[in-house]
Amino acid sequence: MQIDKTKPVLVTGGNGYIASWIVKYLLADGHDVHATVRDPANSAKTGHLLKAAEGSRGKLTLFKADLLKDGAFDAAMQGCELVIHTASPFVIKGLKDAQKELVDPAVMGTKNVLDAANRVQSVKRVVLTASVVSVYGDAQDMSDQKLKAFTEAHWNTTSTVTHQPYNYSKVAAEKVGWEIVKKQSRWDFITINPGLVFGPSLTTASDSTSLSTIKELANGHLATGVPNMEIAIVDVRDAARAHILAGFTLTASGRHLAVSQSVTMWQMVQTLKARFGNGYRWPMMVVPKPVVWLMAPVAGYSRKFVSRNAGWPLKFDNSYIQKDLGLTFRPVAETLGDHFQQMLDDGVLKPR
Ligand code: NAP
């Protein structure tokens, strides 16, 4: 699929943590960008995008669009051959109604954007920000399925709206995408399935769980300790580049796991401590699983979540994305270190 590079690229949720890097790279590469946001007048949420556009070779235009409003993306999509659909809430704590807060925007929003692609005749390719959580639900799934690592062939079959609702929202949205694309032949569909994304943020106004996770490792929130849990990490700059490569690589196809490496939370702490020293309220230890299980409800997690995720290995085969898109990954230490440094520079984190 050949995409005309002189046509604008639509990025939905353009002010988000990952999308901001996609927009910045596109503009720097000389592409015109149509970015949708919920509130273009909110300078706290869009100022960094306007700054990225200054002095870049591309032109940025902001459009207002809500995932739940039918037809909201049509205007922004006009004239675009490439659509990069990133908008979807990434929140896992403090949910009151997961269906309404997570699943509806993810699933109905994806349908809304793809229905617009069916109407807007210029569209040739849609790249969806999916997730590793559409290939698995809980780390235990890997052992249950007797796998050494998850690949693009696997699907999350264990998440529901009550157990791992964010994971459920992502697999349900991705499935909707693969269903809709089958019914036509004008545009094709590619997914980028990132692991947990870390790395410097261009915005301090995002609600992404990526940003709160790094903060909680150093601000005393987890001072007692961390569970023995493995996390599949990818750098935000690599995840952003993956979307752009998927958009413009003629031969690209299918799903793409974007994971640099799996590390434990304790390894993350040790990596950060080695670079930034003892002046932070780091977790003291790895908390034994029975204690984590007992205390889970107090920390806002279910005991089932702890049972099925703490102490289980979690691995991903990242060979396809390297072959299909030519993507290379930054080392995890650089990703975490650059993220932490950005938080210090922006005053989001302070030494104790
Ligand atoms: P983020 O910074 O919170 O970005 C989410 C974006 O979605 C924001 O632009 C947000 O707009 C928008 N959004 C949420 N609800 C919306 C609605 N009802 N209508 C319109 N826009 C809405 O989070 P992120 O980490 O960059 O996540 C971006 C995408 O990557 C999501 O699809 C997420 O599932 C996926 N992903 C993230 C990770 C990760 O580790 N961060 C890993 C894998 C996949 P507002 O600013 O107005 O809220």
Side-chain angles (χ1 to χ4, degrees):
M1 177 72 66
Q2 185 82 54
I3 302 293
D4 182 345
K5 294 188 172 172
T6 66
K7 299 278 168 63
V9 179
L10 171 61
V11 182
T12 70
N15 62 327
Y17 169 51
I18 300 171
S20 295
W21 277 103
I22 299 175
V23 171
K24 186 182 164 88
Y25 283 148
L26 284 169
L27 291 168
D29 292 349
H31 298 283
D32 292 342
V33 177
H34 290 182
T36 67
V37 294
R38 275 194 276 192
D39 182 5
N42 183 343
S43 58
K45 288 216 163 203
T46 56
H48 65 287
L49 295 180
L50 303 176
K51 199 169 144 216
E54 278 169 25
S56 78
R57 293 188 294 126
K59 178 175 171 247
L60 173 71
T61 313
L62 297 179
F63 291 81
K64 182 182 171 75
D66 194 297
L67 289 167
L68 297 171
K69 197 164 165 238
D70 281 346
F73 292 87
D74 289 47
M77 210 177 278
Q78 296 302 322
C80 298
E81 292 192 356
L82 174 59
V83 172
I84 301 181
H85 175 40
T86 83
S88 202
F90 179 29
V91 184
I92 53 174
K93 280 199 252 175
L95 295 163
K96 292 193 178 72
D97 183 342
Q99 179 69 39
K100 223 165 135 187
E101 292 168 70
L102 283 178
V103 183
D104 288 352
V107 175
M108 289 158 69
T110 299
K111 187 171 179 310
N112 198 7
V113 169
L114 298 185
D115 285 349
N118 278 338
R119 286 188 294 269
V120 178
Q121 296 299 312
S122 56
V123 176
K124 290 187 176 169
R125 175 169 285 179
V126 178
V127 177
L128 172 77
T129 315
S131 173
V132 290
V133 298
S134 29
V135 309
Y136 87 106
D138 299 303
Q140 192 185 331
D141 295 353
M142 199 179 96
S143 305
D144 287 350
Q145 294 174 46
K146 300 188 176 34
L147 301 172
K148 287 203 175 73
F150 290 107
T151 71
E152 284 82 1
H154 298 112
W155 285 93
N156 173 357
T157 57
T158 55
S159 299
T160 64
V161 74
T162 51
H163 175 66
Q164 298 274 45
Y166 169 71
N167 300 10
Y168 178 67
S169 78
K170 294 305 286 180
V171 67
E174 191 188 330
K175 280 187 173 164
V176 160
W178 287 113
E179 280 305 311
I180 295 176
V181 67
K182 274 198 305 210
K183 296 183 181 137
Q184 55 76 56
S185 58
R186 174 171 37 84
W187 51 272
D188 67 3
F189 185 65
I190 295 180
T191 68
I192 299 299
N193 301 61
L196 192 49
V197 181
F198 294 117
S201 179
L202 298 169
T203 169
T204 51
S206 151
D207 297 324
S208 176
T209 298
S210 294
L211 308 188
S212 48
T213 303
I214 290 285
K215 203 167 158 187
E216 288 176 3
L217 281 184
N219 69 2
H221 192 87
L222 295 169
T224 318
V226 284
N228 177 20
M229 235 150 65
E230 221 169 327
I231 294 180
I233 292 180
V234 65
D235 192 288
V236 67
R237 296 159 290 188
D238 297 338
R241 275 281 172 223
H243 286 77
I244 297 170
L245 286 166
F248 291 111
T249 304
L250 202 68
T251 52
S253 68
R255 311 171 84 196
H256 300 81
L257 289 173
V259 169
S260 151
Q261 202 191 330
S262 296
V263 296
T264 63
M265 291 182 81
W266 186 243
Q267 284 169 328
M268 287 173 68
V269 173
Q270 298 314 311
T271 303
L272 286 168
K273 220 170 158 180
R275 176 157 157 194
F276 295 95
N278 289 323
Y280 300 88
R281 300 183 65 207
W282 302 114
M284 281 187 302
M285 58 189 261
V286 179
V287 183
K289 184 167 177 176
V291 179
V292 181
W293 183 87
L294 202 65
M295 298 308 292
V298 181
Y301 297 100
S302 73
R303 290 197 168 120
K304 182 175 174 187
F305 169 80
V306 174
S307 297
R308 294 187 52 80
N309 289 280
W312 296 100
L314 179 65
K315 307 284 180 212
F316 295 88
D317 178 345
N318 64 4
S319 52
Y320 180 63
I321 196 167
Q322 299 184 64
K323 189 168 120 260
D324 196 48
L325 302 182
L327 188 77
T328 53
F329 293 104
R330 280 177 170 77
V332 163
E334 182 181 326
T335 300
L336 295 175
D338 289 358
H339 195 160
F340 201 84
Q341 187 61 54
Q342 169 263 315
M343 287 193 147
L344 295 177
D345 294 345
D346 286 345
V348 176
L349 258 177
K350 291 188 175 54
R352 62 173 154 190

